[in-house]
Amino acid sequence: MTVFLLVTTFLPMMTTDSLSGSRFAVKELPYAYEALAPHVSAETMHYHHDRHYAGYVGKLNELVIDTPFADQPLEDIVQSADGALYNNAAQAWNHELFFEQLSPQPQREPSPELRAAIDRDFGSLDALRTRMNQAAAGLFGSGWVWLATDSDGHLSILAEPNAGNPLRHGLIPLLGLDVWEHAYYIDYRNRRADAVAALWNVIDWACVSDRYARR
Ligand code: MN
């Protein structure tokens, strides 16, 4: 009887909590807004994190209510949802990964394990960067260029339109380049290649290597 009462009492409370829009929280930046300058300006970081990313999280919190995904982890929503719910869930997930992998004091080299995989699959770290730069330049419209791995550690580069994410292909994202105009237009206007070239200066290979080790 007690258990039954707990269930009937607490389930509506969880729904109420969802209605408040607090199911998913905006993750704070792990560094100051101005910390990535001059490569990424404080103004860009404010717009990118506080408006665009936070906007996706807010919309996700609205859209997820009363769906079969209402109590599912974000990663499961990214893998299985469709339409606007998928778009906003994936953009929330992508931006969490994106901001986390940047640092004002980045480690410049991958771990020995990841470095060996990069050399094996692309030839060199420079060759990987060149391939990802080319993919960014060639991606029409908004999207993401990803370095991803399978569970065996084989690497691949994916150029995905819009919110596209390697999780949808059964792959594990290691590094994501956001090539939506909102990521660079304040600092670089239409010069996407310059924005991506600058971004490499703040990519923390310690973070990327940790993701590879956890695959
Ligand atoms: Mn973005």
Side-chain angles (χ1 to χ4, degrees), residues 48 52-53 56 91 95 98-99 144 178-180 182-183:
H48 201 180
H52 293 282
Y53 162 53
Y56 296 125
Q91 283 294 77
H95 283 87
F98 177 78
F99 292 123
W144 293 79
D178 185 345
V179 296
W180 285 59
H182 72 223

Side-chain angles (χ1 to χ4, degrees), residues 135-182:
L139 182 60
F140 185 80
S142 297
W144 293 79
V145 172
W146 297 98
L147 174 65
T149 184
D150 65 16
S151 53
D152 293 329
H154 293 101
L155 304 172
S156 53
I157 295 170
L158 293 84
E160 292 281 320
N162 303 316
N165 184 298
L167 293 171
R168 297 285 275 201
H169 306 291
L171 297 172
I172 301 151
L174 300 177
L175 165 60
L177 303 179
D178 185 345
V179 296
W180 285 59
E181 283 189 346
H182 72 223

